[in-house]
């Protein structure tokens, strides 16, 4: 297992995926600072400013929207093995498939945490810096902001695991990436448009993330456009529990799904 972990770490850090992940983390954090400089009150529609709890929550919650990136990271971790035909070598090196899958899960969980930590640190620094430049006091105490950023960082790790599960199920890399993008940016949003089905939204990854981060902007915006009431979200602890459940399912799927499949 030590050799597998070392090999997977080398594989992650020697390719461009690590660089793109770093740039995405820095970019998502910097985006929060840029939006803070613009000011939520200048959004369309206008939102409460940085000096209010709601305005600060909205900006930090936007960071949770970027969980698409770590999900892609996890998806590529498995699907790229099939795309580049390295899966045969990997399996010959470790015939018990669960061992290299476990190595991937361990390394990419750490990668997801690192991604979240970098994004959260940059976002937090940019947010406080923007507030200082504008001469305003954030509507949330610094301790609350740090705790919220920590929850977002942990959420990034969960989404990385979800991506690994998708990559294990859908071995075609293009199909897997399209599926991840379509789900997070289309399917969950479309569910909010259906009055009878939108009650499922709080129990989906996006709804659980919104509950954990307090980011209700998407659900409220869709409700405002359709003239209906917003889907009620779970409490923050319940949202966190739902995400942990998804992480456990993702681990089980990632380990079990490929065990009886042909390699090629």
């Amino acid at each position: 297992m030590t050799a597998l972990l070392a090999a997977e770490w080398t594989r992650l850090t020697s390719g461009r995926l690590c660089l793109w992940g770093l740039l995405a983390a820095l970019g998502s954090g910097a985006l929060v600072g840029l939006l803070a400089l613009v000011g939520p009150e200048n959004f369309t529609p206008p939102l409460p400013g940085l000096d209010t709890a709601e305005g600060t929550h909205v900006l930090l919650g936007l960071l949770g929207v970027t969980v698409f990136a770590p999900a892609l990271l996890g998806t590529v971790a498995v699907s790229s093995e099939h795309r580049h035909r390295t899966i045969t070598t990997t399996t010959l090196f470790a015939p018990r498939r669960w061992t290299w899958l476990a190595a991937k899960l361990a390394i990419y969980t750490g990668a997801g945490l690192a991604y979240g930590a970098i994004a959260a640190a940059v976002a937090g620094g940019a947010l406080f810096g923007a507030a200082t430049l504008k001469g305003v006091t954030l509507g949330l105490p610094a301790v609350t902001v740090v705790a919220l950023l920590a929850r977002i960082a942990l959420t990034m790790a969960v989404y990385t695991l979800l991506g690994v599960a998708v990559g294990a199920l859908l071995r075609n890399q293009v199909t897997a990436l399209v599926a991840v993008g379509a789900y997070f940016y289309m399917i969950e949003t479309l569910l909010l448009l259906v009055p009878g089905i939108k009650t499922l939204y709080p129990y989906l990854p996006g709804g659980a993330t919104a509950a954990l981060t307090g980011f209700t902007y998407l659900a409220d915006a869709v409700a405002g456009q359709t003239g209906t009431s917003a889907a009620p979200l779970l409490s923050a602890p319940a949202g966190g529990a739902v995400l942990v459940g998804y992480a456990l399912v993702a681990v089980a799927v990632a380990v079990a799904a490929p065990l009886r499949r042909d390699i090629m």
Side-chain angles (χ1 to χ4, degrees):
M1 182 58 69
T2 302
L4 285 172
L5 289 172
E8 197 61 41
W9 172 254
T10 301
R11 182 172 176 273
L12 170 64
T13 56
S14 61
R16 287 179 290 182
L17 184 62
C18 184
L19 175 61
W20 285 114
L22 176 61
L23 292 176
L26 294 173
S28 59
L31 178 63
V32 173
L34 178 62
L35 295 176
L37 284 175
V38 173
E41 65 277 5
N42 296 315
F43 290 4
T44 303
L47 295 172
L50 289 177
D51 56 346
T52 66
E54 184 180 357
T56 306
H57 257 301
V58 168
L59 285 180
L60 293 177
L62 285 172
L63 186 61
V65 179
T66 65
V67 293
F68 173 74
L72 288 183
L73 183 71
T75 302
V76 172
V78 181
S79 61
S80 63
E81 290 265 29
H82 294 276
R83 180 182 180 184
H84 298 293
R85 308 285 179 157
T86 59
I87 188 67
T88 303
T89 303
T90 299
T91 306
L92 288 174
F93 179 71
R96 291 179 296 176
R97 299 187 194 182
W98 71 267
T99 56
W100 58 260
L101 284 167
K104 286 183 183 296
L105 288 167
I107 291 299
Y108 281 87
T109 297
L113 283 171
Y115 179 98
I118 293 170
V122 173
L127 182 65
F128 283 108
T132 301
L133 288 174
K134 298 181 71 172
V136 301
T137 301
L138 292 178
L140 291 175
V143 174
T144 304
V145 171
V146 172
L148 182 55
L149 288 171
R151 293 203 300 268
I152 293 174
L154 291 174
T155 301
M156 301 291 186
V158 174
Y159 275 87
T160 307
L161 290 178
L162 293 176
V164 170
V166 173
L169 285 171
L170 304 175
R171 293 183 291 184
N172 183 283
Q173 189 172 49
V174 175
T175 301
L177 295 179
V178 169
V180 171
Y183 177 78
F184 287 117
Y185 289 111
M186 290 181 60
I187 295 177
E188 285 200 355
T189 304
L190 290 175
L191 288 178
L192 287 172
L193 299 174
V194 184
I197 301 180
K198 72 178 183 180
T199 54
L200 297 175
Y201 177 73
Y203 301 96
L204 298 176
T209 301
L212 190 61
T213 61
F215 183 68
T216 62
Y217 181 76
L218 177 60
D220 293 340
V222 173
Q225 292 294 324
T226 58
T228 60
S229 59
L233 297 177
L234 302 173
S235 64
V242 169
L243 279 180
V244 170
Y246 277 115
L248 295 176
V249 171
V251 169
V253 169
V255 172
L259 291 183
R260 297 185 179 274
R261 284 180 173 178
D262 291 335
I263 295 300
M264 302 301 291

